[in-house]
Amino acid sequence: VLFRSERISLKTKGMTPVEYRNHALAFNYLTLSNFSVALQKTRHYNNRTCFSLKVFCGRCGDIYHRVAYNYSDEHGQIVKWLCMTGHDHDLVTCHGRAISEQQLKEVCLRAFNKIIEPNKAFGQASNNIRHAISQVNEEQATKLDRELDRLQILLINQTPHSKDYDKIADEFNKVQQQRDELQLTLDRQNEIVQKNINLQNFIDTNSKQLNEFDEHLVRQLIKKITIQETYCEVEFQNDDSIKINL
């Protein structure tokens, strides 16, 4: 964008004339065209609904966005969720199916009811595996902590100019890096454990089937909804998933 400046002189009674600069826009058409294309490609997301940033296309993997259609007849307003790649600026490059917001609500309600079915051991096998892996990692962390203590004592007993100081220091840094990486893994596992607890609490406190959709449960328990042609895959916050036929 180019700017063209014009000087405007204002004369007032008993005062020295004052000059102002009036900046008029002088558009370069190529620049304006490129700007328009870039503006069209800009995507806007919001978190106003419980499904925002949770619904994805099973064909291309892109995110879905919410579109409201207004009708003048008895249908009123119909809200659908569409693949951004498939319906972005009238360029249909993905044929992932559209789904109405009412269908999404029914899918979530059926998913919640499916995991609270009587005697339904949802996610129990994966929880047992995670628990076993967590125990192994905690034991490994304890071993690394002991090794760090041993190397630290050796460093204290060495002088910086001694023969083995650099070798021990390098080994200490190597073990410390392994311990830091393992700690990140443990933190992620603890986060998943907490999400498992939240999901289990929901299952324990709801012995009866749900009759009404609750967007709070979607925000709290559901991580991702992948839309396929004939079914939806609902992934919970603890990474367990369940399929719901459409």
Side-chain angles (χ1 to χ4, degrees), residues 10 16 29 32 59 81 88 94 96 105 129 137-138 149 154 159 168 170 197 199 204 215 220 230 237 242 246:
L10 298 180
T16 304
Y29 286 101
L32 180 60
R59 282 179 173 265
W81 287 77
D88 204 3
C94 175
K105 292 180 179 180
I129 294 174
N137 288 334
E138 289 177 357
D149 292 339
L154 290 177
T159 60
I168 297 174
D170 291 341
I197 293 174
L199 188 60
D204 293 340
E215 68 173 34
Q220 182 183 17
T230 59
Q237 292 289 355
I242 194 170
L246 292 173

Side-chain angles (χ1 to χ4, degrees), residues 2 25 45 61 65 74-75 90 101 105 113 119 135 156 161 163 173 195 208 216 221 235:
L2 304 177
L25 288 176
Y45 301 105
H65 67 144
E74 67 277 3
H75 295 291
D90 299 327
E101 191 162 90
K105 292 180 179 180
N113 284 331
N119 302 322
Q135 283 186 326
I156 293 174
H161 302 289
K163 179 180 178 180
N173 292 332
K195 291 175 179 178
K208 297 181 180 179
H216 173 71
L221 301 179
E235 182 179 346

Side-chain angles (χ1 to χ4, degrees), residues 36-50:
S36 299
V37 172
L39 184 62
Q40 288 179 354
K41 293 182 179 180
T42 303
R43 294 181 174 185
H44 300 281
Y45 301 105
N46 60 68
N47 198 30
R48 289 182 298 177
T49 77
C50 60

